[in-house]
Amino acid sequence: KPNPGNPAHWPGYRGARRDGVYNGPAIRTDWNTAPPKPAWTTQVGGGHASMTVARGRLFTLEQWAEGEVVTCYNLVDGRGLWRRTYAGKFNDKSAMGGVGPRATPTYDDGRLYTIGAEGQLHCLNADTGKVIWHKNIYVAFGTRNLPFGTCASPWVAGEKLIITAGARAGSAKHTVFALDKMTGEVLWRSAAENQAYMSPFTTTLAGREQILLCAGRAIQGLSLEDGKILWSVKWTVSYDNNIAQPIVVDDTHIFISAGYGAGCGLIEIKKTADQFSANLVWENKNLKNKFTSSVLHEGYLYGLDDGNSDNAAYLVCINAQTGEEKWRGENYGHGQILLAQSHLIIQCENGDLALAKATPESHQQIARLPALPGKTWNNPALANGRLYLRNDQKIICYDIRPGSAAGSVTLNTSTGEALSVLAAAFLLLNGLGCIGLGCFVRPTSE
């Protein structure tokens, strides 16, 4: 049985503040001599949702033959605890983004809020999976889904559940909603910009707590009380593909970024009397986050810059205040990044796992090793010193707490292809009798 007193906590998409920063107990970073060892693995269905951790449980969304599924696993060993299945079978029309749900569950005080790729919003009992309330947001609000599906994870702010609901359609002009988190009742509606793929969150800018949105064609701050637009800055991307999370640099500045050749910029928010104003301080193309998000550490931003091909994205460090590029590192593909203990944990697009130092001095990779099989776009989760990775085939848990057991192989290289060759060579020379890289993620028990 899961231990509800387990202190591991990662309540939603990119952590408690949606900034990709881990502030939990210490982890070890000696991966070059003691690479992480899998604690357990389990099979999962399709989709790009990340994982949420609370009360000794891990939650995610998947797509199986029978439909979309909210799943709950035991945090200790990865065994399934409950499943909530409902109708849903998403694949974007151009078949570019893959199948399945995209949004990550949000945990709050015993309840789990989930939203599927086609807009099925559920409030569930996190212990049992029982439905507390449910609605299809596109049926309820008359808006339309986005070409690549609903990606924005719900956000809990006090008694409110903040959601975005795609694009305007017909007479439906409202695209942002605050619901009563206990009942699903609509508290307010906002006629904001057509929405995109980033997940809303609240932060304090220029002295006022507000909802921060990266909409289809603008960056906007909304009143948490009534949804009124406080300020707006035009920010256009091809096909309205604003995906990356804005990064709060300080109490008056936010960093924004987008791929498809758009680039990045710094927005300054000011307040005079009761009026807000916002302007773009600088803009360049040094860091183009396509469908990944950057992290901030001691005044510098670290992110994956969209390259010149579909599978190229280079780790870049820039000065948050000036936009100056400090260094440009290796190609990790369109993966995802977390910041932990002055280090970057990089989930590479090809399934590799890498660790690098978060320093403006130079690109300093510590280790890179095979982890998941195949393309991986899902964000990792990190709770109480355990790292959780996921794609459309597997979840794998690594114990990276101080004193945890290390794996038997250290691999440090710049490309996935070289990685595979070295791993295969090691296995053959040592007569392990393994075929391919499967033995690196063989399920193990604690």
Side-chain angles (χ1 to χ4, degrees):
K1 293 182 179 180
N3 175 15
N6 189 319
H9 196 66
W10 189 263
Y13 179 57
R14 302 188 80 228
R17 293 175 301 279
R18 293 202 167 154
D19 57 2
V21 177
Y22 170 74
N23 292 308
I27 62 170
R28 59 179 182 82
T29 57
D30 57 347
W31 295 14
N32 55 330
T33 57
K37 180 181 180 180
W40 55 260
T41 66
T42 191
Q43 183 183 5
V44 295
H48 303 313
S50 182
M51 298 143 290
T52 295
V53 174
R55 290 178 55 80
R57 297 163 170 84
L58 181 148
F59 310 95
T60 191
L61 278 83
E62 310 168 24
Q63 182 167 298
W64 292 88
E66 60 268 34
E68 285 189 338
V69 185
V70 184
T71 46
C72 175
Y73 298 92
N74 192 326
L75 205 57
V76 173
D77 56 18
R79 295 187 181 185
L81 297 174
W82 57 257
R83 295 160 58 95
R84 172 62 58 183
T85 304
Y86 55 91
K89 191 174 182 180
F90 183 82
N91 192 359
D92 62 272
K93 293 180 180 179
S94 56
M96 294 174 62
V99 305
R102 282 91 160 97
T104 302
T106 299
Y107 175 85
D108 176 70
D109 193 22
R111 291 172 297 277
L112 194 71
Y113 299 94
T114 68
I115 189 164
E118 296 173 315
Q120 296 281 6
L121 173 65
H122 286 88
C123 172
L124 306 173
N125 181 302
D127 288 348
T128 65
K130 181 180 179 180
V131 176
I132 299 172
W133 56 264
H134 156 265
K135 64 179 63 187
N136 182 314
I137 62 173
Y138 298 115
V139 173
F141 304 132
T143 51
R144 59 177 173 82
N145 201 356
L146 302 173
F148 295 105
T150 302
C151 298
S153 300
W155 175 259
V156 175
E159 298 306 308
K160 298 182 178 72
L161 182 73
I162 308 300
I163 64 167
T164 61
R168 298 167 182 160
S171 59
K173 303 301 181 184
H174 300 93
T175 60
V176 183
F177 298 83
L179 311 180
D180 184 310
K181 70 178 183 180
M182 304 298 291
T183 65
E185 176 189 358
V186 177
L187 301 177
W188 55 249
R189 308 166 185 250
S190 178
E193 171 67 62
N194 286 341
Q195 295 306 302
Y197 302 97
M198 69 82 63
S199 296
F201 63 100
T202 52
T203 189
T204 299
L205 293 167
R208 179 166 175 176
E209 186 180 18
Q210 55 195 265
I211 302 166
L212 189 55
L213 290 171
C214 198
R217 300 174 187 178
I219 311 298
Q220 298 180 321
L222 272 62
S223 165
L224 181 58
E225 290 73 27
D226 58 12
K228 177 184 176 182
I229 298 174
L230 302 176
W231 56 266
S232 183
V233 175
K234 184 179 180 181
W235 181 252
T236 58
V237 183
S238 297
Y239 311 107
D240 292 351
N241 280 345
N242 268 317
I243 304 170
Q245 294 294 118
I247 304 295
V248 178
V249 174
D250 55 38
D251 58 1
T252 57
H253 293 89
I254 58 171
F255 169 79
I256 54 174
S257 183
Y260 306 91
C264 59
L266 186 72
I267 295 176
E268 182 178 28
I269 313 299
K270 294 182 179 180
K271 183 183 179 184
T272 303
D274 292 330
Q275 297 298 314
F276 285 86
S277 62
N279 67 288
L280 204 55
V281 177
W282 58 258
E283 182 180 5
N284 63 42
K285 298 185 184 300
N286 289 339
L287 179 48
K288 303 178 293 295
N289 288 150
K290 191 173 184 180
F291 44 84
T292 70
S293 297
S294 295
V295 294
L296 175 71
H297 181 57
E298 296 182 348
Y300 292 91
L301 290 151
Y302 301 86
L304 295 170
D305 178 50
D306 187 14
N308 295 321
S309 66
D310 287 342
N311 60 357
Y314 299 88
L315 185 62
V316 171
C317 171
I318 67 171
N319 184 306
Q321 291 296 333
T322 66
E324 174 194 7
E325 182 179 309
K326 301 301 293 184
W327 52 257
R328 181 168 294 266
E330 295 180 10
N331 176 20
Y332 292 97
H334 297 290
Q336 307 291 346
I337 297 177
L338 296 182
L339 175 71
Q341 218 167 278
S342 301
H343 285 72
L344 305 172
I345 296 175
I346 307 167
Q347 172 64 76
C348 308
E349 183 176 22
N350 71 348
D352 288 354
L353 172 64
L355 183 71
K357 291 184 179 180
T359 172
E361 295 177 0
S362 62
H363 176 223
Q364 300 177 35
Q365 178 179 282
I366 294 172
R368 179 168 173 167
L369 61 150
L372 290 168
K375 182 173 71 176
T376 302
W377 287 350
N378 310 60
N379 276 261
L382 181 55
N384 201 40
R386 284 185 153 207
L387 177 65
Y388 303 90
L389 310 179
R390 194 218 139 159
N391 61 10
D392 60 356
Q393 301 175 55
K394 289 184 177 182
I395 294 177
I396 184 168
C397 167
Y398 287 102
D399 189 346
I400 55 174
R401 294 172 294 184
S404 59
S408 58
V409 180
T410 299
L411 295 172
N412 190 334
T413 186
S414 59
T415 67
E417 182 177 1
L419 193 64
S420 300
V421 172
L422 286 172
F426 179 91
L427 297 176
L428 290 172
L429 288 172
N430 286 274
L432 296 180
C434 295
I435 298 175
L437 294 178
C439 52
F440 282 93
V441 292
R442 181 181 297 157
T444 59
S445 298
E446 292 192 317

